[in-house]
Amino acid sequence: KAGVTQTPRYLIKTRGQQVTLSCSPISGHRSVSWYQQTPGQGLQFLFEYFSETQRNKGNFPGRFSGRQFSNSRSEMNVSTLELGDSALYLCASSTRTGGPRAYEQYFGPGTRLTVT
Amino acid sequence: GENVEQHPSTLSVQEGDSAVIKCTYSDSASNYFPWYKQELGKGPQLIIDIRSNVGEKKDQRIAVTLNKTAKHFSLHITETQPEDSAVYFCAASREGGGADGLTFGKGTHQIIQP
């Protein structure tokens, strides 16, 4: 089974621009969660989508948003980029449909975003 | 919200020896505790997890223990090998409705010395 894929793997943007990142979950997984990883703050939860609906949201400003499509693929958007948004953005998928392994989250390789 | 503390931040282990990484959590409602291994340039990889209805779980050289009363859980790696060098993260969450995502510890950089 193919793992979680994320595109692009690397991105350089300028302050004030916006960016869209994409995540394709493991086949059959209906939940996609997004995390931000930085050296200072570590791994922080952004939001989770399940059945095209945002189910949970972490403590991030409204500039961070996302959506999920009917095929479970998800996109994350960051508007008005700031220098502090430079980070590795990871998505993780899980089944969320019952059973003992429903909440196991499997991560993709991440998108490295650099804001200059 | 949940807060997870992880120690040590760096761990140097002689190849063949055992390693232990410890985490504490604050939210007594947390009931799912996974451990991840992250190698350079890769995303975190789930290596083992434990739920609050279990005190210990083992998978070959890796084991995890959970003390719900004290709100701490630990990762144990025996017979360490060079490929065990990586950054390890513990995490905690509530499974089921209302989950707030995984709350991670700050990570432990484990170095296996030959």
Side-chain angles (χ1 to χ4, degrees):
Chain A
K1 211 182 234 188
V4 177
T5 58
Q6 292 187 245
T7 56
R9 292 294 310 278
Y10 303 91
L11 207 48
I12 300 175
K13 289 286 188 179
T14 304
R15 264 182 307 176
Q17 288 185 316
Q18 74 162 20
V19 68
T20 299
L21 312 181
S22 180
C23 172
S24 292
I26 292 170
S27 177
H29 284 197
R30 295 171 59 191
S31 167
V32 173
S33 296
W34 289 88
Y35 293 83
Q36 181 195 64
Q37 186 174 27
T38 60
Q41 298 299 316
L43 278 151
Q44 293 184 286
F45 172 69
L46 281 155
F47 31 65
E48 178 195 7
Y49 284 85
F50 177 74
S51 292
E52 301 177 62
T53 302
Q54 186 181 91
R55 295 297 171 129
N56 298 292
K57 191 177 192 314
N59 190 26
F60 277 83
R63 299 186 297 107
F64 293 82
S65 63
R67 58 177 175 167
Q68 186 180 34
F69 302 94
S70 58
N71 62 356
S72 296
R73 190 177 71 84
S74 177
E75 287 182 347
M76 185 191 117
N77 186 75
V78 187
S79 63
T80 319
L81 283 166
E82 301 177 359
L83 294 179
D85 296 333
S86 293
L88 181 67
Y89 289 89
L90 294 156
C91 79
S93 74
S94 58
T95 62
R96 278 282 205 181
T97 52
R101 306 185 67 176
Y103 294 94
E104 292 179 358
Q105 293 192 29
Y106 296 89
F107 283 82
T111 293
R112 173 72 63 184
L113 172 65
T114 302
V115 182
T116 62
Chain B
E2 175 65 277
N3 183 52
V4 176
E5 300 281 343
Q6 182 172 346
H7 299 281
S9 56
T10 305
L11 182 60
S12 182
V13 181
Q14 204 68 30
E15 183 179 348
D17 287 351
S18 296
V20 180
I21 302 171
K22 299 183 179 182
C23 289
T24 60
Y25 62 99
S26 62
D27 186 356
S28 56
S30 288
N31 55 8
Y32 176 61
F33 307 93
W35 285 88
Y36 286 86
K37 173 184 180 183
Q38 188 174 26
E39 296 172 301
L40 205 59
K42 297 184 178 180
Q45 174 195 0
L46 178 65
I47 57 172
I48 195 168
D49 57 14
I50 192 167
R51 287 163 178 80
S52 58
N53 58 347
V54 175
E56 183 174 358
K57 184 176 176 181
K58 198 171 180 180
D59 183 5
Q60 299 184 336
R61 298 187 296 108
I62 294 173
V64 57
T65 58
L66 171 66
N67 183 325
K68 281 192 303 182
T69 304
K71 294 207 205 93
H72 68 68
F73 56 114
S74 301
L75 176 71
H76 305 254
I77 304 175
T78 59
E79 300 171 16
T80 52
Q81 299 169 5
E83 55 264 35
D84 295 331
S85 292
V87 180
Y88 291 82
F89 293 95
C90 63
S93 76
R94 305 181 192 186
E95 288 187 326
D100 298 322
L102 294 170
T103 300
F104 284 87
K106 292 294 189 189
T108 296
H109 186 192
Q110 177 169 277
I111 303 160
I112 306 301
Q113 304 283 1

